[in-house]
Amino acid sequence: MNRNKRRQEDNSFTDYNNNNIKKPRQNKITLSDRITNLEDLSNELFYEIFEYLIDHHAFQAFYDLNYRFQKLVLNSNSTIKINISSISKSQFHHYLTDRIKPCTSRIELFRLSNPCIDPCSLLLPIITKLTQLTTLILNNIEANFIEPIVNQLSSLPVLSSLTIVSISNIITKNNLYSKLFQLPKLKYCQIDIELLDIPKKFTIATNEFSTIEWLIINHRISIDKLLILLTYVPQLRRLSIDQLVQSEFDQLSKTSTNLNYLTNVSLKFAFHFNVPFQQFEILVENYFHQVQVLNIKTQSVHLDLDTGKYLNANRWEQLISTSMLNLRIFNFQQSYRGFRSNEERQAFDYFINKFNSKFWIEHQWFFDYHYHETKRSTTAVFYSRNPYRKKDYVLYDELIDNIYLTCHDINEDPIHHICLHTTDIIKQCYDKFPNATELTFCEDFEVPRVDSIVVDLNRFLPLKQLTKLSIKCHRFTFEQLIELLQFTPNIHTLELDSIVLFRTDPILIQNHELTQLVSKINLITNVTIMKEITVEKIQLLTVAFPRIEHLTINLFKEDLRPIVKYLFSKLNNNTRYLSLLHISKQRHDWMILLKSIIKSKKLPRNYVFKVINRTLYIWW
C-alpha cells in the first residue's frame, strides 16, 4: 500500500487520527472513556481492512453507514478488484450503480462468474473507461456473449490477463484466436469454450505475432490446428492443452518457428481421440527444444498399436535425447480403462519394464504402476513416481511402498489436491502434503468411523488449511460429514454425491449439539449435491450450513414445489444469504412450473431464470 498516498487522501476528511492531543488529567476515568467507537479508527486503518475483504463485501459493510465511509470508498486512489459471483440481485444493482460505475477508471481486476448476469450489458457500456484493467475473468458465461466482448477487448489499453470459460457451446465460426492474438499487452490467456474451432483459412503466421507468454486451451483442439496457433506466439513460456486430439490430416506440415522461451508444457489427450505418437513427435521436434518441464497424460479404453507407442521406452529415449536436451522434469501418465485379455495385460507389463534402463536412472526419472479392479473392468495406470511435481494426486494403497522414494522438497511445486481411495494410505504418509487445500474422497473409498481417521488425516494433510471438500463415495453419512467438518473450519466449497442418512431422523441430526456447533463455525458458501435430494434433506443442509450463497442440486419433479417453497420463503432465516440456485438435469417444462409456483406462493422477489445445457439457473 502507498501509505503516503493514503495519508494525503486522509487530509480531505475530518481528522480522526489526532488522538495524541494532551488533555487535562482527570482523577476519575469513566466507562465511556474506555470505549473506542468505530468512528474513532483512522482512515488508514479502514483502508487496511478493505484490502483483506472482497470488494463488494467491504462495500456492503461500510458504504451505507454514513457520508464519511462513502468518501472513503469512492475517493481513494487505490486500484479495485471486482469479483461478482454469488452476489444477490439487489446487492448487484446497488454495487453496480454506486461502486463500479463511479470508480471504473480504478478497476484493475474484473471477475464475473454469475451466469445470470449479461456480461455484454455489464461490460460494453463501460469498457472504454476501464483504463487500468489488467485482468479480465469471465467464468460460467454463455458462449453467445463471447464474440461481442472479444471484439471490444482492444479498448482495454493495459489488459495483460484474460480468462474465458463458457458453460454452453459456441455457434460462431469466426476465429476468436486471431482477435486475441492482436491484443498488444496480453501475456496470459486461458480459453475454455466448447466447440470453438479454428477456420481452415487460418494459416501459419508470417508477420503478425502475439505477446502471449502463457497459453491455456481447455477445449478440444486438433494437433494440426495447434501447430498453426503456435506460430503466432513466439514469446510463449508455458503451454497447457486439456483436450488434444489427432490431426484431421494424415500428413502434418513441419514449420520452422522457434519457441525459444517455451520451458513448461502440459498436454492431456482427449479420451477416445489419442494423438498418434508420430504426430506427437512432430510437435516435439518443431517446438519443444527448450522445454524443461513436460507433463503428459493420456488414457485409452484398451492397449492398441497407437496408444501402446507411448509406452515405448526406447522411442521416448530417442525423442528426448535428440529434441528435448533441456528436459529436467518428465511427468508421464498412461492409463487404460479395461483390459480385454490376459495377453493385453502381459503386453502392458512388458512395455513398462523397459523404463528401468540406464537412461531413466541417470535422469532420476522413476515410474510405477497399479491395477485398479472394479466390478466392471480393470484399470491399469503407468505414471511418474514424483507426486511432489503435480498439483493434484490420486492415492491408492498399491502405491505405498514406492511413492515417496524421492528426496525433493514438496514446497518446490506443492500438491494442492489430494484424492483418496483407501484409508490405509493415510497412516503410511504422515506430513506428506502440507500445501494441500482440496480433499476428495473417491467413489470407491471405504468409509470407516470418522473419529478413527481424523488424527491420521490431520497428520497426512493440515485439515484447517482445506478450502474445498468433495465426497464422491456413496456411504459417507451426513453425521460423519459433520464430525469431519468440526476440524475443517475454513472450507468454503462442498461437493457431495448425496446426503446419506441411513434411516436416521434428520430432526435429531439438526438438533444435535455437534451440528449446532458446526453450523456456527463453518464458512461454507458454495454447495453442490449430485444425486436427487428431498425437502427434508434440504432443510438439514441449510440448518448445518446457514451461510450458503450458491446451491447446486438435482431433484425429482414431485419435489420441486416443496423445495422451492422452503428455499424461497422470506421467513426462512437459514437461507437468508442464498441468492443463486442451480437445478441440474431439469426438464423442458420445469421453468414454467417454477414460475407458476413462485407466482402462486406470492414470493416477494424479483427472479431471473435461465436454462443453459439442461441446467436451470435462478438468481434473486
Side-chain angles (χ1 to χ4, degrees):
M1 178 189 298
N2 190 332
R3 296 186 180 275
N4 292 331
K5 184 185 295 184
R6 292 280 169 82
R7 290 193 179 96
Q8 293 173 3
E9 294 166 359
D10 291 347
N11 292 336
S12 62
F13 307 127
T14 305
D15 187 2
Y16 295 93
N17 302 320
N18 194 2
N19 296 324
N20 297 321
I21 300 176
K22 293 184 178 180
K23 300 179 181 179
R25 169 172 277 181
Q26 299 178 355
N27 294 327
K28 185 178 181 181
I29 300 178
T30 64
L31 179 61
S32 61
D33 295 326
R34 299 179 182 177
I35 297 176
T36 299
N37 295 317
L38 183 67
E39 289 286 344
D40 296 329
L41 300 180
S42 68
N43 292 332
E44 185 168 271
L45 182 56
F46 280 114
Y47 284 126
E48 296 280 357
I49 294 173
F50 293 167
E51 290 186 355
Y52 281 96
L53 299 175
I54 296 175
D55 187 77
H56 78 80
H57 288 167
F59 176 79
Q60 292 169 22
F62 292 97
Y63 183 80
D64 291 325
L65 291 179
N66 56 38
Y67 180 72
R68 176 197 175 195
F69 288 107
Q70 290 183 10
K71 298 283 286 183
L72 281 173
V73 170
L74 296 176
N75 289 4
S76 170
N77 290 326
S78 62
T79 56
I80 302 171
K81 293 179 173 60
I82 302 296
N83 185 353
I84 303 173
S85 54
S86 298
I87 188 172
S88 71
K89 191 168 180 288
S90 59
Q91 291 171 347
F92 168 71
H93 289 297
H94 181 30
Y95 187 54
L96 175 63
T97 303
D98 295 320
R99 177 58 166 168
I100 295 178
K101 289 184 178 179
C103 304
T104 307
S105 61
R106 290 165 44 203
I107 297 176
E108 178 186 43
L109 179 148
F110 202 112
R111 177 188 180 94
L112 175 63
S113 56
N114 187 327
C116 294
I117 297 176
D118 182 342
C120 291
S121 299
L122 173 61
L123 285 172
L124 296 186
I126 62 173
I127 198 166
T128 58
K129 299 178 182 179
L130 295 170
T131 54
Q132 292 193 50
L133 186 68
T134 61
T135 302
L136 177 61
I137 302 171
L138 301 176
N139 193 18
N140 295 329
I141 69 168
E142 291 185 79
N144 59 297
F145 293 124
I146 294 174
E147 186 172 14
I149 292 177
V150 169
N151 289 339
Q152 298 299 319
L153 291 181
S154 58
S155 303
L156 304 173
V158 294
L159 182 68
S160 60
S161 178
L162 175 66
T163 299
I164 301 177
V165 180
S166 174
I167 55 175
S168 60
N169 299 334
I170 197 166
I171 300 177
T172 177
K173 297 300 180 181
N174 294 332
N175 189 359
L176 295 180
Y177 279 104
S178 64
K179 299 175 182 178
L180 298 178
F181 289 161
Q182 295 174 15
L183 300 177
K185 300 290 185 180
L186 195 61
K187 301 293 184 183
Y188 175 94
C189 182
Q190 177 178 346
I191 303 297
D192 187 352
I193 308 172
E194 287 298 322
L195 300 186
L196 177 61
D197 197 10
I198 300 172
K200 294 182 179 180
K201 64 180 181 181
F202 191 56
T203 57
I204 294 174
T206 54
N207 56 8
E208 293 185 2
F209 303 101
S210 170
T211 57
I212 292 175
E213 297 180 1
W214 192 333
L215 179 61
I216 300 175
I217 300 175
N218 288 331
H219 60 81
R220 183 173 296 179
I221 182 172
S222 62
I223 196 167
D224 55 299
K225 300 292 180 62
L226 176 61
L227 290 173
I228 295 175
L229 281 184
L230 292 179
T231 64
Y232 286 82
V233 285
Q235 305 299 316
L236 193 64
R237 298 177 183 273
R238 300 176 71 98
L239 172 68
S240 178
I241 309 293
D242 191 62
Q243 299 183 57
L244 188 62
V245 303
Q246 61 189 15
S247 171
E248 300 175 2
F249 310 101
D250 294 332
Q251 297 293 327
L252 289 177
S253 59
K254 297 184 178 181
T255 63
S256 58
T257 303
N258 293 321
L259 296 180
N260 295 324
Y261 305 101
L262 181 60
T263 60
N264 193 309
V265 174
S266 295
L267 301 177
K268 182 178 180 181
F269 299 154
F271 191 50
H272 291 303
F273 294 92
N274 271 340
V275 176
F277 197 84
Q278 183 178 2
Q279 294 184 9
F280 172 73
E281 285 178 318
I282 294 175
L283 175 64
V284 172
E285 292 167 355
N286 278 267
Y287 296 108
F288 290 2
H289 293 284
Q290 303 300 325
V291 170
Q292 300 176 20
V293 179
L294 178 63
N295 299 282
I296 300 290
K297 186 174 183 180
T298 169
Q299 55 182 332
S300 304
V301 176
H302 54 80
L303 185 63
D304 57 28
L305 292 177
D306 285 331
T307 59
K309 291 179 180 178
Y310 284 92
L311 289 181
N312 190 324
N314 294 332
R315 197 161 180 175
W316 270 113
E317 181 179 340
Q318 181 180 2
L319 182 61
I320 294 173
S321 300
T322 57
S323 300
M324 290 186 286
L325 299 178
N326 297 308
L327 192 63
R328 296 184 296 103
I329 295 177
F330 179 59
N331 277 335
F332 177 67
Q333 177 176 312
Q334 173 84 50
S335 62
Y336 299 95
R337 288 287 182 88
F339 283 151
R340 295 177 298 182
S341 64
N342 188 50
E343 289 76 13
E344 198 171 27
R345 182 163 180 165
Q346 291 176 349
F348 177 78
D349 292 338
Y350 172 79
F351 281 127
I352 64 179
N353 286 332
K354 298 295 183 180
F355 284 87
N356 293 320
S357 67
K358 180 181 177 181
F359 172 83
W360 303 101
I361 295 174
E362 287 180 345
H363 283 80
Q364 295 291 295
W365 294 334
F366 304 104
F367 304 88
D368 214 327
Y369 72 95
H370 72 261
Y371 294 105
H372 182 61
E373 296 186 3
T374 64
K375 294 180 179 179
R376 297 182 179 179
S377 64
T378 298
T379 299
V381 182
F382 178 72
Y383 60 95
S384 304
R385 200 179 62 223
N386 298 102
Y388 64 92
R389 292 170 179 162
K390 301 180 181 179
K391 292 300 182 183
D392 58 83
Y393 199 70
V394 180
L395 296 176
Y396 297 87
D397 53 354
E398 292 91 339
L399 314 185
I400 294 174
D401 294 336
N402 299 316
I403 201 169
Y404 293 113
L405 296 185
T406 58
C407 59
H408 297 271
D409 184 4
I410 286 179
N411 293 295
E412 291 179 0
D413 196 1
I415 300 169
H416 296 295
H417 184 195
I418 303 298
C419 302
L420 286 176
H421 279 262
T422 69
T423 57
D424 293 337
I425 189 68
I426 300 174
K427 295 182 180 181
Q428 303 282 339
C429 304
Y430 288 173
D431 301 321
K432 298 302 181 182
F433 304 101
N435 301 290
T437 58
E438 299 182 24
L439 175 63
T440 296
F441 294 97
C442 298
E443 291 89 344
D444 51 353
F445 184 81
E446 292 294 332
V447 185
R449 287 171 54 94
V450 172
D451 57 0
S452 68
I453 67 168
V454 164
V455 175
D456 293 330
L457 193 59
N458 202 34
R459 292 172 182 167
F460 178 68
L461 51 85
L463 291 177
K464 286 188 176 181
Q465 196 168 285
L466 294 179
T467 59
K468 182 178 179 179
L469 176 64
S470 179
I471 299 178
K472 297 182 179 180
C473 49
H474 312 307
R475 299 179 64 84
F476 207 111
T477 69
F478 197 82
E479 291 171 287
Q480 290 174 312
L481 172 63
I482 293 297
E483 290 181 51
L484 180 59
L485 289 177
Q486 65 179 309
F487 302 102
T488 56
N490 292 309
I491 287 179
H492 56 69
T493 300
L494 177 64
E495 296 179 352
L496 303 176
D497 174 75
S498 59
I499 294 181
V500 181
L501 300 180
F502 285 152
R503 298 188 179 91
T504 306
D505 187 348
I507 300 298
L508 293 178
I509 301 178
Q510 290 182 33
N511 295 330
H512 194 280
E513 60 181 0
L514 186 55
T515 305
Q516 296 298 317
L517 172 64
V518 169
S519 70
K520 293 178 181 178
I521 66 173
N522 80 83
L523 302 176
I524 296 173
T525 59
N526 192 329
V527 177
T528 298
I529 312 293
M530 299 303 297
K531 289 203 170 106
E532 289 82 2
I533 194 170
T534 62
V535 67
E536 291 79 14
K537 293 180 178 180
I538 282 282
Q539 291 171 348
L540 176 59
L541 186 76
T542 57
V543 168
F545 314 125
R547 296 165 191 83
I548 295 178
E549 299 175 359
H550 180 184
L551 178 61
T552 300
I553 58 175
N554 186 12
L555 49 79
F556 294 110
K557 184 176 182 179
E558 57 267 24
D559 293 314
L560 179 62
R561 184 178 297 274
I563 287 177
V564 168
K565 180 181 178 181
Y566 173 78
L567 290 178
F568 292 171
S569 172
K570 64 179 180 179
L571 301 177
N572 184 0
N573 199 40
N574 290 325
T575 59
R576 62 188 182 278
Y577 297 111
L578 183 64
S579 61
L580 188 60
L581 176 65
H582 297 178
I583 301 177
S584 58
K585 300 179 182 178
Q586 67 90 38
R587 296 185 343 201
H588 68 281
D589 60 335
W590 282 25
M591 179 151 55
I592 298 174
L593 177 59
L594 183 61
K595 288 182 178 181
S596 67
I597 293 172
I598 293 175
K599 185 176 180 181
S600 65
K601 297 299 178 182
K602 299 181 180 179
L603 299 175
R605 287 173 179 155
N606 185 14
Y607 298 91
V608 172
F609 300 90
K610 277 195 174 184
V611 176
I612 307 171
N613 283 354
R614 291 193 62 204
T615 297
L616 174 60
Y617 298 86
I618 308 112
W619 180 47
W620 64 94

